[in-house]
Amino acid sequence: MFLSLFRIYIVFTALYKEFPSEATMTLGSPVGVVDLITPANCPYQLYNQEVVWNGKWIQTRQVGFRAQNGQEGVWQSVHRNTKPHGAAADGVSIIARVRKAGKVLIILVKQFRIPTGKVCLELPAGLIDHGETSQQAAIRELKEETGYTSAKVVNESKLCFLDPGLTDDSQVMVVVDVDGDAPENINPVQNLDATESIEVLLVEQSELMTYIENLDSSIVVESSLLAYAMGVKFASLV
């Protein structure tokens, strides 16, 4: 439910020769330098990784890097504090296909996203809880956010990163089928957190890109949904 929260949180700062003398975050103070191992395939020398701020949901870090030509810089990033040990990813996005009356409908959600300042059209999504698999998280989150029940997982993607220039926030895409004629899916009821306000929509898969293209300019589209809609559209053109 919080997957999009990260996307505008931290900016990339390049070509500084030294770290700032003090943290510029307004909600906390530097936590300290942490151990850092430069990966073997990294073209930079990394040094002085610092946790700038540590909160309930996220922490922000900065790390010095030196290019092979000797040029130095600082990279700032944001990282979740919520990923359970051993989880496949931070969270899941769910492509839920409702089969009803001979049609294939895609479940979408619409909610106001504070970081963007706009209403966002998205796939159902959420974080993986402790002890859950990606598929279990997808089934649970779909039920909570939309009220729909799925008993069939069709596919689970590889790990993917949502915005690797800003964050290591990761997800797995899970495709599920929903029987729209099943009794439990006739009048689905959401089970939202007290702070959530989510509208549920069903859009025919073949019309998904057209629906997105005709959205009011006050509504933005989450990238995973847009990528899926483009794939559906272009597959039909081959």
Side-chain angles (χ1 to χ4, degrees), residues 17-206:
K17 292 195 173 182
E18 296 180 358
F19 284 128
S21 59
E22 62 181 9
T24 57
M25 303 294 292
T26 60
L27 298 179
S29 58
V31 177
V33 176
V34 296
D35 292 336
L36 177 66
I37 299 176
T38 300
N41 59 350
C42 178
Y44 305 107
Q45 179 185 351
L46 306 181
Y47 56 90
N48 290 351
Q49 177 168 268
E50 180 182 7
V51 176
V52 178
W53 181 82
N54 200 32
K56 178 180 180 180
W57 301 104
I58 63 171
Q59 66 175 225
T60 57
R61 303 174 192 168
Q62 60 185 16
V63 60
F65 65 94
R66 183 177 295 109
Q68 293 177 357
N69 62 5
Q71 183 67 55
E72 295 181 317
V74 174
W75 202 293
Q76 298 177 325
S77 58
V78 62
H79 306 262
R80 288 192 182 276
N81 285 334
T82 55
K83 183 180 178 181
H85 178 72
D90 290 291
V92 293
S93 282
I94 307 135
I95 300 172
R97 308 182 303 184
V98 179
R99 300 183 183 277
K100 187 173 184 178
K103 296 181 178 180
V104 177
L105 309 168
I106 302 299
I107 301 177
L108 306 179
V109 294
K110 189 189 294 183
Q111 57 187 314
F112 187 87
R113 289 297 193 179
I114 292 175
T116 67
K118 292 179 179 292
V119 173
C120 189
L121 184 70
E122 310 170 3
L123 295 169
L127 299 176
I128 298 174
D129 285 347
H130 178 74
E132 280 187 323
T133 66
S134 302
Q135 296 183 15
Q136 289 169 338
I139 297 296
R140 175 184 54 77
E141 285 287 354
L142 181 68
K143 179 67 173 178
E144 291 176 359
E145 286 198 353
T146 73
Y148 282 94
T149 299
S150 171
K152 182 180 181 182
V153 174
V154 177
N155 185 263
E156 177 182 334
S157 77
K158 295 180 62 175
L159 175 73
C160 59
F161 291 91
L162 292 165
D163 198 342
L166 294 177
T167 175
D168 63 355
D169 188 21
S170 61
Q171 71 170 2
V172 169
M173 303 284 291
V174 180
V175 182
V176 303
D177 276 348
V178 176
D179 182 357
D181 295 317
E184 63 270 23
N185 292 322
I186 299 300
N187 295 298
V189 178
Q190 296 167 290
N191 182 25
L192 300 176
D193 292 342
T195 56
E196 290 182 307
S197 178
I198 298 175
E199 178 184 351
V200 181
L201 304 91
L202 295 180
V203 177
E204 193 167 353
Q205 179 170 260
S206 61

